[in-house]
Every structure is written in structure tokens, then in C-alpha cells.
Amino acid sequence: MVEKRKPIKVDEAIKRVMAYQKSGSIEFLPIEESFGRFLGDDLIATHDVPFFNRSPYDGFAIIAADTEHASSTNPVQLEVVGEIGAGSVFPYMLQPGQAVRIMTGAAIPQGADAVIMLELVCEIETDGKPFIQVRRKVKSGDNISLIGEDTKKGTVLAPKGTYINPGVVALLATFGYKQVPVSTKPAIGIIATGSELLKVDEPLQPGKIRNSNTYMVAAQIERAGGKPVNFGQFNDDFDTCFRQVADALNKVDFLITTGGVSVGDYDYLPAIYQKLGAEVLFNKVGMRPGSVTTVAVKDGKLLFGLSGNPSACYVGFELFTRPMIRAYLHCVNPIVKKTTATLGSDFPKPNPFDRFVRGRLSFENGKIIAYPIGLDKSNVVSSLAEANVLINLPGGTRGFTKGMEVSCLLLEDQEGES
Amino acid sequence: MVEKRKPIKVDEAIKRVMAYQKSGSIEFLPIEESFGRFLGDDLIATHDVPFFNRSPYDGFAIIAADTEHASSTNPVQLEVVGEIGAGSVFPYMLQPGQAVRIMTGAAIPQGADAVIMLELVCEIETDGKPFIQVRRKVKSGDNISLIGEDTKKGTVLAPKGTYINPGVVALLATFGYKQVPVSTKPAIGIIATGSELLKVDEPLQPGKIRNSNTYMVAAQIERAGGKPVNFGQFNDDFDTCFRQVADALNKVDFLITTGGVSVGDYDYLPAIYQKLGAEVLFNKVGMRPGSVTTVAVKDGKLLFGLSGNPSACYVGFELFTRPMIRAYLHCVNPIVKKTTATLGSDFPKPNPFDRFVRGRLSFENGKIIAYPIGLDKSNVVSSLAEANVLINLPGGTRGFTKGMEVSCLLLEDQEGES
């Protein structure tokens, strides 16, 4: 007997899943290993920037009042009493009538209140001593980058949950984060089901295909920021399957199964959920591919029952599992980012359900164009390799033509949306 | 005495660097570790897809000729002689008057030449035996996915140098790549110079800043696909510096130094290149920031002399070092990908040189908008964290206003261009 399932909308399905979101903990990593992780805590400016009043130019640090009456016809002469390279400080208090040669980025000496640029002075020697001639009035504060001018101590420079890119790494170093608080990766179990599945290194035989879902999903987990844990494949009897699922669930933060969620004779997952006492949040979603995607919850822990079909599995992961991973990593915006684009070619086939068509985003003359790729038969794996978006085509009775406005999910994005 | 340097154009500088590109070798990794690497060889379909004639639907495999005279008023009755689940094969030759129940994805039995969908037949029982009634003519070949229909054996599905995303991983698994040929990561040395530099865990002191370039560049190397090797900081005497550079160069594929390439008293790099006998490809580029970026070559090995200023260092890396890394990884498109965008806010300050302004790309109503971020003082690190593009503003006497068309370099892109 074929069980009748009631499909729910994609947005409603995401909402039901996100009701169970939980945040992970924090671990500390050496800064060298922080790239590609997510901040486990706010990145805070631990000091003012600049930390000291500094010179933005090569030039001479002076006392502005000395130049009060300077002009091209009445140059003021100042004695050069020293030089400050980057990283060094001038050990004396500057006195009236004196100047100090100063390099870009170096600290303004005590007593000085302005810098005059190198190219605006004339360097001379009088009685064996170096002098500069200043031919214009300089105002107090000229060419001095003041303490805290760029960034005030205590400013949050990147919030908790930010993806750590090279620029964030630079900030971490600048502010002394030798050990970086990063979000712990959630451990996500993967079990592949299906009696047609061969192992990757098994020779092909009629009726069978190699298991690609386990490896694809593992890579999707890594891309999202989680840690895949492979529990292998099963195609045994129900009791073995049940024990494997129950056992795996205890060892991970979330569990993904691929296959076995349809209503066929070999689809064990519905019965496994029941025996586990897991609550099924939904078992049919109004979308193609992936309508059989099922999510259940057991003691607050989610079980993602993704389709065994690679394309449907891929879509189900990005829509439902990825946001949970990002939330676990403390991301403010856990949902896959959407953008509006122009459809780059016709997609004539209408479908009563919302479709998520694999596509390729292209930037053309400042516009965003989305091209559907492959035949989009749900069993064609090859187009997944090229896809960087899922084009969301709403269900209805009409097809879609080139030039129409469509919504796309950005698969390689690290920012997301709320 | 200040040495006079002649600036060259950015494109010319890239060309001079790329003349020294070299390809790395290949290593084999378990498929589980291949995500995020680059293919070291073409990914080839090692078999036809489908590998056997298969059913795209749930239904019954039949002999089309049996339905020659079928109609709603004259249904044809076929005996159901078996069932083929996914992964199994039917062991007999189908005979006229017979049908076999077949699941989606299962192999078409010998003798059958069509599939009729489950919902189009009526299942009945006669004399305790199962039959189906077919009420329409079925054509030979109907609903059969033929061997090789999706992909022919030998097809290149992803060329050498392709970034391995989850979709590529799925293909690798499908075609039995248990061990994946990936491009070996180039080892790229980093030496930070500058007497103002403190270590990340040192307390701040007047005149000094912490070394952020080493860690930022290491993350940029990782993002580009290389392996950073940190040789530490130096602020010692010339001979020590020289020995460190010469020693490091022997241990890596490329060497990056940060700082020390200006014309100041503490800028050792020009003299080090000379003593090494390295040929300087250029030591001034007509761009801001990063005009002092220097690239030299010694025995075919490149030394990237990036600026000590974090922003200039960042830009210099993306423009000149990254393409060399991508070429080493066999990427067909090693250069950072460009796109046209609309400037999202004014950038009034003109500059005689081409500028690379840190920016943030935003997708708004199908259009690509680029917003300059931060003050873009070249010493403000904080805006690097937010940047996902460098906006290229050509040199000239005019500023730039919101709405103008600008070119952007996409920092997070994995595809590149040629």
C-alpha cells in the first residue's frame, strides 16, 4: 500500500527545521590554523589604531609655532636633531627651533605637534649642522594621525560567526590574537542506503551504481563548515539498519541518511524514525528535485533523510542541512544567500511544484545572468560539478523564457542571509 | 640619495611575472580529502552513463509488440512474472505476454524493450496469478534510458586544474576515483621585514605594530591553493637578512617578502636581489596601493617583494602571486576573475595612477553594485576583512561618482580567467 503524504512549502519546511537550531561551543586555535573557520567570539580592537600619534608621510616632525611667520620670502630655519625610523622612538623632548626627520608610520616625538612633508622643505647645512628651511606656515596637528583615529579600542571589528578570510586574519594578528576563538565544527554523520550501491572502488555490475552521495555530502558538509563522519553504507535487513542509525545518532550532532525515504518496499527510514520514537517534521516538500526529503527529530537532534538521488540529495542538503550547520557555527545569517538574476536561456517545462534547477551564474555587463545547466534530469550528476547556483523556478502551469527574472541560491557564498 | 624608479603598467607587470609560470606535479589523495583541491588530471567518464539500459520510472518492463492492438476498449493482459528492485537484475529472458515490475533506476530485463508507468496500468489477479491490463499502444524504446544516453565513456567531465567542489567529488565517486589525482600545492615562503614589527603575542609599545602581513599572506596563499611556509621576521643586519632569503629560497617554490622594497635606508631587499644575482622584473608599478611591489627572479624561481603596508601587500599578492599559484595548480584560468559593476557610492579623489580600492560586491535587483569600503587609507587594515572585491579605478584627473561603470577583481572566486 502506498502511503499518501502531504507536501509542505519549502519555506515552511526550512522554518520547521530551524526551530531546532542550536549553537556549538568554542575552541581556540593558533592563528595559523584559523583561515576558513568561523569566529567563535566577537573580534574586538584590543587597542586604539593608531596606538600612538604617528606620521602618515616621510618628512620632519616640528613645532608648528616655529613656523608662525614663515613664508617664501622669509624661510624659517630649524635644526635637524635626529631621525626616527619606523619602529623606533625619539628619546628627547623636541625644543623650539628643532626638527626631527621622521619616516612614514613612525611615532611623533614628544614636543612636536605637526609634520611637514619631505618635498616641502629645503635641506641645508650650516656650520656642519643639518638644518631645514620651511617656507610656509604649518598648523598644529598638520599631518599627524592621531591615536584612535582609525579605530577606537573596544570596537567590534567582526562579529561572532564571521567567516575568517585573509582580511580577518590580518585583523586577528594586528590585535594580538595569537590564539583565535573559533566555532567548533559540528560532527555530522552520513549513512548511505540503497541496495543498488557499490563502494567507490568496486567494479561496476549491471543494475548497480557506485555510491557518490556519501562523498558529495561530505564535501557539502565541509563547504558549509562542518565535519563529516562517514558511517558507511547499508543494504541489510531492517534491524541492522535500525541499530546503525541509532548508534550513529549518539555519536554526532546531526545525522544525514541518503536514500530510503520514499514509499517503496526497501525504504526503511520511515519505519526507523518510528521505532526510534523520532518526530517527523515533514516527509514531503513541494519541490523538485527532492520532494521526498524528510526531516525528523529525536531528543532535539535532527535526522536529515535526504533523497538517494544525487541531485535531490544535493538540493535537500543546501536547503535544510546547511542552515543548521551555519547556525551551529554562530553565523548571524545561516540561510543560503539569494539573489535576483536574469534567466539566460529558456526553461520551457512547467511543473506544478517549485523547482531548484542547477545553474551557472555569469556576470555580463554589470548584470547577473543565470543559465540552467545540463538536462536537469534528476539523475544526471555531471551538471552538479558546474553548478554554482540553484535557480528557483516557482511551480505553476507556464514554462520560463530567457530574460525573465528569477531567484537564485548562491552555493559558494560564505555570508548567507537571515 | 633617492633612487628614481620607472613605473610600469599593471598588465605589463602581470605579463612579466607570468612569463615565469611553471606547473607543479601531481599527487594522489583519497577521495575523502580531495574537496577544495585542484584536479591534477582530467576527470574522465570511466564508463557510459547509464551503464545499463534502465528505467527512469516505477512501472512495468514489457515487450512493446504485445501492445500493438491495445486500446481502452481492448486492453491487453500481461502476466507479471517478477519484480526488479534497484540494484538487482532479472535472471530470465522476458517472453511475449509477460511483464516485470521494475523500480526507478533498475536495469531493463533481457527481452523487454519498453516500460509503461505504474499509474497507466491496472493491476488484476486471474487464477491466483498477477496480471496487468494495458490500455494503450506502447512504442519500442518508450521510457528506457539507454546506455550512454547521459554521458559517453571517455568524456572529459572536468579538465585538469578544475577546483574540486562537492559536485566534482560526486563525479569522482561515480567514476570510481577512490584515489584522486590532485595538483601538488606549491610551497610558498614568507619572510616579514620591518624594524617596527612585533610578534603577534608581544605587547604593543610606542612606535611598533604587530606583524599582520605574515598571517594575512599565509591565508591568501591558502585561499589561492598554495601551502604557506613561515620563515619568520627579520630586522637584523644586512648579512643576516641575505642569508635568510637565500636559505629560504632553496626550500620553496616561490618566496614572498613583505616590506623592505622602498627606497629608504632600511629597505634591504633591492640590495639582497643584487647580491643574490636575481633579475628584477620590475620594482615600481603604476598603481595604488602597492606601487613599490617588486618581483625578481633567480634561476627561474620568483621572489615577490610585496609592500610592508598591509593593504598594498594584499593587493600585490592577489595581482601577481595568486596567478602563479593557480598556474602551478594547472588552472586553465589563473588570473583573478574580473567583472563589470556599477559604483555604489562616490569616490571623489582622483589619482594619476590606477587604484585598487577595497570594495564589497552587492547584488541588487539583478545588478552588480560595488561599494568602496573603509577610508581606504592604505594603512587601515579593518576594511580588508569586509572586502570581497578590489575595485579598479583607472588613473586620471577626475574622481568617480556613484552609478559609473567600474571593473572589479573577484577575490573569493575559484574560476579565474585566462
Side-chain angles (χ1 to χ4, degrees):
Chain A
M1 199 209 66
V2 172
E3 172 200 351
K4 197 78 189 162
R5 294 178 178 178
K6 196 175 144 25
I8 64 169
K9 288 265 179 199
V10 172
D11 286 348
E12 170 63 19
I14 294 173
K15 204 181 290 172
R16 289 192 194 174
V17 173
M18 293 304 283
Y20 290 90
Q21 67 176 271
K22 56 182 173 190
S23 299
S25 55
I26 294 174
E27 58 185 323
F28 283 81
L29 283 185
I31 186 169
E32 291 89 343
E33 298 168 24
S34 66
F35 169 69
R37 299 293 294 260
F38 291 78
L39 284 177
D41 206 346
D42 291 344
L43 194 170
I44 288 169
T46 52
H47 59 76
D48 287 324
V49 178
F51 179 59
F52 46 87
N53 292 338
R54 86 184 159 199
S55 175
Y57 298 115
D58 264 8
F60 291 88
I62 60 173
I63 299 167
D66 283 345
T67 67
E68 179 72 35
H69 304 295
S71 71
S72 56
T73 54
N74 180 33
V76 166
Q77 213 158 285
L78 302 173
E79 186 184 353
V80 180
V81 295
E83 181 180 301
I84 318 170
S88 64
V89 290
F90 188 68
Y92 311 112
M93 169 75 89
L94 200 69
Q95 302 298 324
Q98 295 183 336
V100 175
R101 175 84 173 87
I102 191 166
M103 310 298 173
T104 305
I108 306 292
Q110 279 192 295
D113 66 350
V115 167
I116 185 162
M117 288 167 76
L118 192 61
E119 47 270 48
L120 296 180
V121 303
C122 187
E123 293 179 77
I124 57 166
E125 215 182 271
T126 306
D127 299 337
K129 289 180 182 169
F131 284 84
I132 54 169
Q133 287 185 330
V134 181
R135 289 163 190 272
R136 60 175 69 189
K137 187 183 166 184
V138 176
K139 288 201 298 288
S140 177
D142 271 8
N143 294 329
I144 292 185
S145 296
L146 294 172
I147 289 176
E149 186 180 275
D150 289 345
T151 305
K152 289 260 173 277
K153 180 176 175 174
T155 307
V156 175
L157 295 168
K160 184 168 157 169
T162 299
Y163 176 75
I164 302 178
N165 66 22
V168 174
V169 172
L171 286 181
L172 288 165
T174 300
F175 294 104
Y177 286 81
K178 173 84 172 159
Q179 294 288 319
V180 179
V182 300
S183 305
T184 308
K185 293 184 179 190
I188 302 165
I190 313 170
I191 294 176
T193 81
S195 45
E196 76 280 22
L197 296 184
L198 296 171
K199 297 215 173 73
V200 171
D201 50 357
E202 284 185 279
L204 268 191
Q205 40 179 288
K208 308 258 183 183
I209 55 171
R210 292 198 187 92
N211 169 21
S212 61
N213 284 339
T214 291
Y215 303 96
M216 178 182 77
V217 166
Q220 287 179 288
I221 290 170
E222 286 189 67
R223 176 166 70 182
K227 183 180 158 224
V229 184
N230 180 8
F231 289 97
Q233 305 172 200
F234 67 55
N235 49 11
D236 292 302
D237 64 11
F238 176 80
D239 290 326
T240 314
C241 297
F242 174 76
R243 276 196 308 274
Q244 282 181 292
V245 170
D247 180 52
L249 192 58
N250 281 328
K251 295 176 176 160
V252 295
D253 295 298
F254 310 105
L255 180 64
I256 291 173
T257 53
T258 68
V261 282
S262 290
V263 288
D265 298 341
Y266 301 100
D267 293 310
Y268 288 148
L269 267 302
I272 289 177
Y273 297 142
Q274 196 171 21
K275 187 166 175 184
L276 268 177
E279 180 197 350
V280 173
L281 302 181
F282 54 85
N283 60 13
K284 193 159 182 97
V285 187
M287 68 178 197
R288 293 284 184 281
S291 64
V292 296
T293 306
T294 299
V295 178
V297 61
K298 160 76 176 165
D299 300 334
K301 210 176 258 188
L302 290 175
L303 295 95
F304 295 92
L306 304 181
S307 168
N309 171 296
S311 302
C313 179
Y314 188 91
V315 169
F317 178 93
E318 297 297 331
L319 288 178
F320 306 115
T321 316
R322 174 175 165 147
M324 288 304 290
I325 296 176
R326 288 291 165 93
Y328 190 97
L329 296 168
H330 307 102
C331 295
V332 183
N333 301 311
I335 309 282
V336 183
K337 194 168 180 170
K338 284 192 199 70
T339 187
T340 304
T342 303
L343 196 61
S345 58
D346 292 345
F347 195 89
K349 204 177 151 198
N351 196 295
F353 292 105
D354 288 359
R355 287 188 69 100
F356 291 89
V357 174
R358 292 181 291 283
R360 191 141 193 82
L361 218 58
S362 168
F363 296 157
E364 299 173 11
N365 302 314
K367 282 191 158 177
I368 309 164
I369 318 288
Y371 292 93
I373 45 176
L375 304 168
D376 212 72
K377 284 191 186 170
S378 58
N379 51 356
V380 173
V381 180
S382 56
S383 61
L384 281 180
E386 277 183 72
N388 56 16
V389 290
L390 293 173
I391 306 173
N392 184 4
L393 300 176
T397 52
R398 291 172 44 223
F400 298 85
T401 51
K402 182 178 167 170
M404 288 178 88
E405 197 174 83
V406 291
S407 173
C408 297
L409 304 182
L410 303 172
L411 296 171
E412 296 287 349
D413 166 73
Q414 295 294 9
E415 287 162 35
E417 59 184 53
S418 55
Chain B
M1 200 209 63
V2 173
E3 171 201 353
K4 197 77 188 164
R5 296 178 178 179
K6 193 172 145 28
I8 64 168
K9 288 265 181 200
V10 173
D11 286 346
E12 169 63 20
I14 293 173
K15 206 181 290 174
R16 288 193 194 174
V17 173
M18 292 304 282
Y20 291 91
Q21 66 176 271
K22 57 180 171 190
S23 298
S25 55
I26 293 174
E27 59 186 323
F28 283 81
L29 283 184
I31 186 171
E32 292 88 343
E33 297 167 24
S34 66
F35 169 68
R37 299 293 295 262
F38 291 79
L39 284 177
D41 205 346
D42 291 345
L43 193 171
I44 289 170
T46 51
H47 58 76
D48 287 325
V49 178
F51 179 58
F52 45 88
N53 293 338
R54 85 183 159 201
S55 175
Y57 299 114
D58 264 8
F60 291 87
I62 59 173
I63 298 167
D66 282 345
T67 68
E68 180 71 36
H69 304 294
S71 71
S72 54
T73 53
N74 181 34
V76 166
Q77 212 159 288
L78 303 173
E79 187 185 352
V80 180
V81 296
E83 181 180 301
I84 317 170
S88 63
V89 290
F90 188 67
Y92 312 109
M93 170 75 90
L94 201 67
Q95 303 297 325
Q98 296 184 334
V100 175
R101 174 86 172 87
I102 191 165
M103 311 297 172
T104 305
I108 306 292
Q110 280 189 296
D113 66 350
V115 168
I116 183 161
M117 288 168 78
L118 192 61
E119 47 269 49
L120 297 180
V121 303
C122 187
E123 293 178 77
I124 57 165
E125 216 182 270
T126 304
D127 298 336
K129 289 180 181 170
F131 284 83
I132 53 168
Q133 287 184 333
V134 181
R135 288 160 191 277
R136 60 175 70 189
K137 187 183 166 184
V138 176
K139 287 202 297 290
S140 178
D142 271 7
N143 294 327
I144 293 184
S145 297
L146 295 171
I147 290 176
E149 184 179 278
D150 290 345
T151 306
K152 287 259 173 280
K153 180 175 176 175
T155 306
V156 174
L157 296 168
K160 186 167 158 168
T162 299
Y163 175 75
I164 302 177
N165 66 22
V168 175
V169 171
L171 286 182
L172 289 165
T174 299
F175 293 104
Y177 286 82
K178 174 84 172 163
Q179 295 288 319
V180 179
V182 301
S183 305
T184 308
K185 294 183 178 193
I188 301 164
I190 313 169
I191 294 176
T193 81
S195 45
E196 75 280 21
L197 296 184
L198 297 171
K199 297 214 172 74
V200 171
D201 51 357
E202 282 186 281
L204 269 191
Q205 41 179 287
K208 307 259 184 183
I209 55 169
R210 294 198 186 92
N211 168 22
S212 60
N213 284 340
T214 291
Y215 303 97
M216 179 182 75
V217 166
Q220 288 178 287
I221 290 170
E222 288 189 65
R223 178 166 68 181
K227 184 181 156 218
V229 184
N230 181 7
F231 289 97
Q233 304 172 200
F234 66 53
N235 48 10
D236 294 301
D237 64 11
F238 176 82
D239 289 327
T240 314
C241 297
F242 174 77
R243 275 197 307 275
Q244 283 181 288
V245 169
D247 181 51
L249 193 58
N250 281 327
K251 296 176 176 160
V252 295
D253 295 297
F254 309 105
L255 181 64
I256 290 174
T257 53
T258 68
V261 283
S262 290
V263 290
D265 299 342
Y266 301 101
D267 293 309
Y268 288 147
L269 267 302
I272 289 177
Y273 297 141
Q274 198 169 22
K275 188 166 174 184
L276 270 177
E279 178 197 350
V280 173
L281 301 182
F282 53 85
N283 59 15
K284 195 162 180 93
V285 186
M287 67 176 197
R288 295 283 183 280
S291 64
V292 297
T293 306
T294 299
V295 178
V297 61
K298 161 76 176 164
D299 300 334
K301 210 176 257 188
L302 290 174
L303 295 95
F304 295 92
L306 304 181
S307 167
N309 171 297
S311 302
C313 178
Y314 188 91
V315 170
F317 177 92
E318 297 296 332
L319 288 179
F320 305 115
T321 315
R322 173 174 164 146
M324 288 304 289
I325 296 176
R326 287 292 166 92
Y328 190 97
L329 295 169
H330 307 102
C331 295
V332 183
N333 301 311
I335 308 282
V336 183
K337 191 168 181 169
K338 285 193 198 69
T339 187
T340 305
T342 304
L343 196 61
S345 59
D346 291 347
F347 195 89
K349 205 175 152 198
N351 196 294
F353 292 105
D354 287 358
R355 288 189 68 103
F356 290 90
V357 175
R358 289 182 292 283
R360 186 140 199 84
L361 216 59
S362 169
F363 296 156
E364 300 174 10
N365 301 315
K367 282 189 157 178
I368 309 165
I369 318 288
Y371 293 93
I373 45 175
L375 303 169
D376 214 71
K377 283 190 188 170
S378 58
N379 50 358
V380 173
V381 179
S382 55
S383 60
L384 280 180
E386 276 184 74
N388 56 16
V389 290
L390 294 173
I391 306 173
N392 183 7
L393 299 177
T397 53
R398 290 170 46 221
F400 298 85
T401 52
K402 182 179 166 170
M404 287 176 87
E405 197 173 84
V406 291
S407 174
C408 297
L409 305 182
L410 303 172
L411 296 171
E412 296 287 348
D413 166 74
Q414 295 295 9
E415 286 161 38
E417 59 184 51
S418 56

